[in-house]
Amino acid sequence: MSGNQNNGSADGSQNDAYVSFQRVQKSYDGEILVVKDLNLDIAQGEFITMLGPSGSGKTTCLMMLAGFEPATNGEIFIGGRSINHIPPHKRGIGMVFQNYALFPHMSIGENLAFPLEVRKMNKADAEKQVKRALDMVQMGDFINRRPAQLSGGQQQRIALSRALVFEPELVLMDEPLGALDKQLREHMQYEIKHIHENLGVTVVYVTHDQSEALTMSDRIAVFNDGVIQQLSSPDDLYERPQNAFVAQFIGENNKLSGTVTKINGDTCTVKLDDGGVLEADKVNVSAVGDRTLLSLRPERVEIDPTSDMDDILDAKIEELIYLGDHIRVRMNVAGNDEFIAKVRNRGEKRDLKKGQTIKVGWSSSDCKALDA
Amino acid sequence: MTDVAFKDQMNEAGELLTADGVPLKQKLAITTRRARMRALLLTAPLIIFLVVSFVIPIGQMLFRSVYNAAGSNVLPNFAVSIQDWDEQGLPTEQMFEDFVKDMQLARKNRITGKTVGNLATRVNYEIPGTRSLFTKSSRKLSKVTEGPYKEALIKIDKKWNDPGLWIALKRVTKDITPYFYLAALDYKYDEKGDIVAADELYQIYVSNFWKTLRLSATITFITILLAYPVSYLLSTLPLRTSNMLMILVLLPFWTSLLVRTTAWIAILQTEGMANDILVFIGIIGDDNRVQMIYNQTGTIIAMVHILLPFMILPLFSVMKTIPPSYMRAARSMGATPFTAFRRIYLPQTLPGLAAGTLLVFILAIGFYITPALVGGEDGLLISNLIAYHIQKSLNWSLGAALGTILLIIVLVLYWLYNKLVGIDKLSFG
Ligand SMILES: Nc1ncnc2c1ncn2[C@@H]1O[C@H](COP(=O)(O)OP(=O)(O)OP(=O)(O)O)[C@@H](O)[C@H]1O
Ligand SMILES: [Mg+2]
């Protein structure tokens, strides 16, 4: 799967996508578009994550899909059927809310039986299904407790199994792990991922935690300002960011700004603002004279490079931070004193000192020329 | 020395000790005593206020409802001797003598609260129409100086020959009496001193209690119907708007109860706005305007308006804490809007609903001004009858008995409520 898939067919023709947003726009107040022209196809069984900063419209997209907010413009399809006029309770979508939304006046068992009850399933079958759903998250012993008697992580599991108990084909999760501590969050990430793999349901997951998105998703849609900035697999997103926002939002990133002086096929030559000249991968620049932001991952920076490296610059060490498995070196490169390099701790004695001037270098394919 | 090896210290009694060797409990008591004293001092004004303004008056009321010394005050000697009477025929000559002498003394002394008039009023409660007998006889008795007193008294008026009157007098001269509770429940004593139902004409209290309960229930029900959607709306609106609207809800509190009630008179009277509009639209003719006030309808309308905020406030405060995600979760799981409301939303608003219901119902049960002004005869509630006995007929004991019964009803309801809903589940916001 990759970013070059046909995303959205504005002519309304049906493709084999399971969920499809087509030219969807949303405004709450008639003045600001919170979601701007969203086109997104999701395949059956896919785990897709919407990632983006606060206020970028992720929840809004989810709410439109679930049916709690009408789309101002455009159409949403599930299984080839337009759902714009189908009320939420007929959409058959499972949902996990950020605050879990477990009904406080019902026991865990009653909470899970609720969706089965409203579907008029007979009691014996419902009981069996509730038990199975609870066992799936290892919470079988808690069936008679009240939500208030559970810890955050336990409530989270219940919310998850409640969203799955009526066997929906599509499950939406809005920052389901947001309230958990780091360790529990990581544990639950694996658990959710496993359940997804076992059940084969389609999951649309919302988070603003990038590492969560990277570990769990088949594909990630990076949102900013109501627009999908990039839609691709986790490794593509990290290795080949399409623009400056994605490069900065995903992972750590060194920035150098300059002007394009020459374009040669897939690469280009960039003159930095302080005079240095670099070769870079041409990603998001189109013509000579364009301003550009060069993006470079800290772990791709070599200290004391061999002379055949594509790009070599002088650097002055500002700070050394010992982190055990690696050493972070903060230095001043081409006027940017937030330039970071990660040096793996191989045990050999490195003579790095604060204030020292050294050379740093990297391969031009690691240095992305993005929009300024 | 380090205190790594700190161990719990104990004395021989096995009590934990502080580092200084003082028992831990004792030390704790000392350190918390100051805080407790201060707390007590801070609450003292309120406690004193409550005792003076609440506990004492209620005690007074309870006392007055069973205690009435008018009889023994006026007839101190007779009150003692009559107790030996077997209630067959007429009392003995000795008892008559005591009666006459007590009457003469009372007439001579004229001490406030111990006059023949006081006695006459008291007896008149139990046997209506006897007032003049006492005042007339008292006047004529001043000339009687020697026995036989029985004949002398009967000569003044034949009614003194009626054993029923003496049975009543024997009852009246006892200070503690259940009579006022009997009266408040539409019972009376017959001539033989047995408890029987009051004459139909005088059976007004029980039916009024029922009417009060019925009207209060109706009013509470209507306030629920009106307040629930309003509170829901308020709780879902953005804070700015909901605060604005909340001020409108509370606005009535800023005007006097009297003003609000009289405003309803202006609106609802036969020549008032509501009728004018109905006539103008053509729903009713000008010659058969609807009587909307000075009856139960008027009482209900005005009281619903006045009590509405007491329902809205607790409902609103509870609803505001229910995140919309609950309803959304229910909908996403396949519940129709109605099912989601009934199964998920409504149960969570119960604490507020319960609090509002209790508040409005109990306020309504004891409401006074509004029914007095717009209730007419038909819309009067029990509190109006109590007020009548306290202010007009001056039968304080009966007023107190009615008040006590009202208090008991409220307490019983409260207890029932606790059984059914649980007081701990109430949320007044
Ligand atoms: N009910 C609403 N009425 C008006 N504006 C809204 C409403 N809900 C969201 N918005 C606005 O829409 C924008 C997008 O909100 P949304 O909740 O989709 O963001 P998000 O990406 O989920 O953010 P977060 O990560 O903080 O949850 C925000 O600017 C928000 O202020
Ligand atoms: Mg959100």
Side-chain angles (χ1 to χ4, degrees), chain A residues 68 89 93 102 105 117 119, chain B residues 328 331-333 335 343:
Chain A
F68 299 124
H89 63 276
I93 298 176
L102 299 179
H105 58 294
E117 234 172 87
R119 283 180 170 69
Chain B
R328 289 183 162 175
R331 298 291 307 281
S332 78
M333 284 183 269
R343 295 283 314 277

Side-chain angles (χ1 to χ4, degrees), chain A residues 62-92:
Chain A
L62 222 55
M63 288 303 151
M64 288 192 287
L65 185 51
F68 299 124
E69 290 289 349
T72 314
N73 182 46
E75 272 191 278
I76 304 172
F77 295 89
I78 295 181
R81 226 156 47 103
S82 169
I83 55 163
N84 281 28
H85 299 292
I86 298 180
H89 63 276
K90 291 193 179 142
R91 294 193 183 189

Side-chain angles (χ1 to χ4, degrees), chain B residues 198-213:
Chain B
D199 303 339
E200 218 151 293
L201 195 64
Y202 292 100
Q203 290 185 11
I204 50 172
Y205 300 114
V206 172
S207 61
N208 199 292
F209 270 117
W210 281 120
K211 184 169 79 183
T212 304
L213 290 175

